[in-house]
Amino acid sequence: TSGTINVTGNNNTVFVIGEQAKADGLENFNINVTPGMTLTLVDIQNNDFSYNGTIANLGAESTLIYGRNAEVGFGENAKITSDAERVTGLVTTEKKAVNKGEMILTGEHSTGIYTERAAAVNEGKLTIGARGIGIYNKGACVLNSGFI
């Protein structure tokens, strides 16, 4: 499944995925965001999710994929771009966050991958702006075979 989702409002969550929910077919959508709007692409719990599309124009304090006890990631074709402050690409606890795509987060204080008690893996490309963090990991391992 593929297509385009246009997000025009502020503080939206595009997908909420719970335990035992089927997340197939959601990974290839392209998301158009009204410039400056805050967005969460996926809020996922007790499940796994990988996104393989493109997103640009994210507003300050956006978090693309937020997982709890979830394996989350960006696939090889994912391209995430933002020049807003405090944008985070992948966040998870307990399992793993994997970036195989390209994140260009040039706004101050932005973070590519943030994990707690979960592995952080970068096989893609992370471009981070001033006072930003490529990978933040607390309580687990970090593997980087990509570029930061």
Side-chain angles (χ1 to χ4, degrees), residues 2-3 8 25 30 37 40 43 59 64 74 85 94-95 119 130 133 143 147:
S2 64
T8 59
N30 291 318
M37 297 292 112
T40 298
D43 183 335
L64 274 296
F74 291 128
E85 293 183 358
E94 302 298 330
K95 284 191 177 182
I133 299 170
L143 302 169
F147 300 95

Side-chain angles (χ1 to χ4, degrees), residues 11-53:
N11 295 316
N12 286 300
T13 300
V14 178
F15 301 114
V16 176
I17 302 169
E19 186 174 6
Q20 298 179 355
K22 272 300 230 190
D24 296 340
L26 304 179
E27 65 278 354
N28 292 315
F29 282 92
N30 291 318
I31 309 293
N32 294 326
V33 181
T34 299
M37 297 292 112
T38 299
L39 171 79
T40 298
L41 173 62
V42 177
D43 183 335
I44 185 164
Q45 185 171 354
N46 300 320
N47 211 324
D48 301 331
F49 184 82
S50 183
Y51 179 71
N52 209 30

Side-chain angles (χ1 to χ4, degrees), residues 99 101 103 110-113 120-129 132-136 142-148:
N99 176 48
M103 281 190 265
S110 290
T111 302
I113 301 172
V121 179
N122 180 47
E123 298 174 359
K125 183 177 180 183
L126 298 174
T127 303
I128 304 296
I133 299 170
I135 299 173
Y136 176 90
V142 173
L143 302 169
N144 180 48
S145 60
F147 300 95
I148 300 175

